[in-house]
Amino acid sequence: MNDQSSLTPSPETQVMLDCLRQAVANTLERKRRLGQYAVLWSEGAAIAVGEDAPMQLATLREPFQD
């Protein structure tokens, strides 16, 4: 059963999703400005991005962007 209406979030759900996305974007931007690294999930593995990222997680050594 693949109903199209089940794929479209309700207005309330969309507001919550937008709020969560904005909170994550704000947090990543704050960490970038402070020079802190962030841990992200990419291609099935955790990676650390940022100038001070631990070497065992740092597959990307360049600053992260939103």
Side-chain angles (χ1 to χ4, degrees):
M1 191 154 136
N2 194 0
D3 189 331
Q4 180 65 21
S5 65
S6 67
L7 298 177
T8 304
S10 70
E12 295 84 9
T13 302
Q14 189 61 52
V15 168
M16 287 186 271
L17 181 59
D18 293 343
C19 181
L20 288 171
R21 285 181 174 152
Q22 187 62 47
V24 169
N26 290 345
T27 299
L28 289 174
E29 175 60 18
R30 184 179 73 241
K31 290 180 82 55
R32 185 194 62 77
R33 283 184 282 133
L34 292 171
Q36 299 173 341
Y37 71 92
V39 178
L40 308 171
W41 191 259
S42 177
E43 298 178 11
I47 59 168
V49 293
E51 291 296 318
D52 62 342
M55 291 304 293
Q56 61 268 31
L57 286 177
T59 58
L60 299 175
R61 296 299 294 170
E62 53 203 53
F64 55 90
Q65 300 176 8
D66 56 299

